[in-house]
Amino acid sequence: MTIAFVDGPVITGDGRILEHATVLVENNKIVKVAEGNLSIPQNAKKIPIDGMTLLPGFIDSHIHICIDGSPDPVSKLLNESQTETTLKAARAARRTLLAGITTVRDMGGRNGIDLDLKQAVNSGLIPGPRMLVSGQLICMSGGHGWQLGQEADGPDAVRRAAREQIKAGADIVKLMATGGVMTPGVQPGSEQFTEEELRAGIEEAHKAGKKTATHAMGTRGILNALRAGIDSIEHGVYLNEEAVALMAEHRVHFIPTISALYHIEIKGVAAGIPDYAVEKTLMVKPHHLESIRMAREAGVLVAAGTDAGTPFNLHGQNLSEIKLLVEYGGYSPMAAIEAGTRVSAQVLGLENELGTIEAGKIADLILVAGNPLENIDILLEKESIRLVMQGGKIASGDF
């Protein structure tokens, strides 16, 4: 089937806006993008863009599909059945897709549910975003995320854990370089895996052609990961000049996940979030904002990731991160949109297939009412998402 999005503004995802453009989709691919007149096949279904804006499908480069955004989501997950977790994850996947996020990178699941959900989406069994998954995160004994992770101590054990996650089907190997906010008894700035342990896991992933990511808040842990050859830094609360310089030089992506800390702060203990999580969030916030400023000014590649599933950071509200990159991160609306499209596609290693509206790319597209460059809030309004197309198929929208 041929679909033509006709005569309207198109944000391409690479910093450009085409004011009066037409985009032609055949089967699952974008085949033509042009301003002005474009020859359209007679049998094409025409969708006018006028009054709306066409954008690439968004990519959330850091979610947790198995946790539900409740006040204490990890405790809740550990006390529910695997069946309940799976059903809730399937519902979260549908909500995420309908909100305009056509691809996600899941950064730590439970009992293989993320792996199975990926296959269910791929087979068409359930609606959801295209998924790249990490399986179980890998952490030191008692380290951040130990409740859901595979614990490993020493380079050989980390190497084995990475091999086991890859064997299970992980697309990404996630390693925990530091403590974090949501695990009781650990501090966000504390170093956990050593540089040698991180290097072992990273080497195994790269040998298998897989990308790597690290939960890294503290400075020493961030530097350990960078020296070990990590592909992306998640959270990056305590960046310093050396870290920023290494990230810029080696084109290591930074996913600040502003949404995670933002929702914990605004909801607080009164909403049922554990005291320790709120206390640590308030402690790290000013350092986090300073790190984002440093990264922006140094030209570090920043991608949009929400950490969806953490307290009140709900699946289906992922585009809040785009607004927060503008309001808290100091990015222009265009740069924030790029962070959630082109740059996130790079993080996933899918930049040749996704992230921009250009001929030859997979047809992941969304239509929104109005112009998000003038009012970024429209991305957060459910009624503003008029159409979601994934792989050339309309997932939502009455056209």
Side-chain angles (χ1 to χ4, degrees):
M1 182 180 181
T2 302
I3 298 175
F5 294 91
V6 179
D7 191 24
V10 174
I11 295 175
T12 58
D14 58 5
R16 296 178 299 142
I17 181 166
L18 309 178
E19 292 292 352
H20 297 282
T22 293
V23 175
L24 199 62
V25 173
E26 290 182 0
N27 300 316
N28 70 329
K29 294 289 184 69
I30 300 166
V31 294
K32 290 183 182 178
V33 181
E35 285 194 282
N37 295 326
L38 175 64
S39 178
I40 299 172
Q42 286 188 341
N43 64 342
K45 177 181 178 66
K46 295 182 180 179
I47 298 176
I49 306 175
D50 187 45
M52 297 180 284
T53 304
L54 188 71
L55 300 98
F58 280 92
I59 300 168
D60 189 333
S61 56
H62 190 129
I63 74 160
H64 294 277
I65 202 74
C66 289
I67 56 177
D68 64 2
S70 54
D72 189 3
V74 174
S75 294
K76 188 170 185 181
L77 176 64
L78 295 172
N79 287 287
E80 67 189 20
S81 71
Q82 186 161 315
T83 301
E84 183 179 356
T85 300
T86 303
L87 291 171
K88 287 163 61 177
R91 180 180 62 186
R94 179 178 182 275
R95 289 175 174 172
T96 300
L97 176 63
L98 296 183
I101 298 89
T102 53
T103 304
V104 298
R105 185 178 65 149
D106 191 275
M107 297 306 291
R110 183 191 187 199
N111 296 336
I113 291 172
D114 56 333
L115 298 162
D116 292 339
L117 201 67
K118 171 189 170 180
Q119 297 306 319
V121 170
N122 287 348
S123 69
L125 181 63
I126 62 169
R130 185 181 297 99
M131 294 180 67
L132 271 68
V133 301
S134 60
Q136 283 183 285
L137 57 88
I138 303 171
C139 63
M140 73 176 197
S141 291
H144 182 58
W146 67 267
Q147 305 97 323
L148 305 177
Q150 181 172 357
E151 293 174 299
D153 299 301
D156 288 345
V158 173
R159 191 180 300 277
R160 180 179 180 86
R163 289 173 176 174
E164 289 176 352
Q165 293 308 312
I166 293 165
K167 179 182 177 181
D171 301 298
I172 314 114
V173 171
K174 184 184 181 186
L175 302 152
M176 311 300 276
T178 74
V181 168
M182 290 303 299
T183 301
V186 303
Q187 289 303 311
S190 64
E191 177 187 5
Q192 296 199 344
F193 273 150
T194 66
E195 183 178 335
E196 291 72 25
E197 288 171 320
L198 291 164
R199 182 174 289 108
I202 292 165
E203 285 177 354
E204 287 306 310
H206 288 171
K207 279 163 53 178
K210 307 293 184 182
K211 284 186 173 285
T212 58
T214 183
H215 168 102
M217 290 191 167
T219 306
R220 289 185 62 183
I222 292 168
L223 290 171
N224 284 342
L226 291 169
R227 292 167 183 152
I230 203 74
D231 295 306
S232 68
I233 297 290
E234 316 294 315
H235 317 304
V237 170
Y238 293 99
L239 294 180
N240 66 3
E241 291 184 3
E242 182 182 1
V244 166
L246 286 169
M247 292 167 75
E249 178 184 357
H250 296 289
R251 298 182 66 79
V252 175
H253 288 86
F254 175 32
I255 297 89
T257 63
I258 305 170
S259 297
L261 298 179
Y262 172 81
H263 288 289
I264 292 174
E265 180 187 9
I266 63 169
K267 291 294 185 178
V269 175
I273 301 173
D275 292 10
Y276 64 83
V278 176
E279 180 182 342
K280 287 189 280 187
T281 293
L282 295 176
M283 176 182 72
V284 303
K285 177 186 174 181
H287 303 283
H288 194 214
L289 295 179
E290 175 63 11
S291 291
I292 297 168
R293 182 196 64 78
M294 291 173 62
R296 186 187 72 248
E297 292 181 357
V300 172
L301 295 167
V302 171
T306 57
D307 215 3
T310 54
F312 298 98
N313 188 8
L314 303 179
H315 300 285
Q317 296 181 10
N318 311 60
L319 294 184
S320 64
E321 185 74 11
I322 307 302
K323 179 180 178 180
L324 292 172
L325 282 168
V326 174
E327 293 190 352
Y328 283 76
Y331 288 86
S332 69
M334 181 68 87
I337 288 169
E338 282 189 81
T341 53
R342 178 183 62 84
V343 184
S344 283
Q346 293 173 354
V347 172
L348 275 60
L350 297 175
E351 63 270 26
N352 293 327
E353 302 171 54
L354 299 170
T356 57
I357 299 178
E358 58 183 306
K361 294 286 184 78
I362 294 172
D364 279 16
L365 304 165
I366 68 169
L367 264 179
V368 302
N371 184 348
L373 299 180
E374 297 173 356
N375 178 14
I376 201 70
D377 286 348
I378 65 173
L379 295 177
L380 281 66
E381 298 166 3
K382 184 178 179 181
E383 61 274 13
S384 294
I385 308 297
R386 298 294 178 85
L387 176 143
V388 177
M389 172 178 281
Q390 183 187 46
K393 296 180 180 179
I394 297 176
S396 73
D398 188 16
F399 287 91

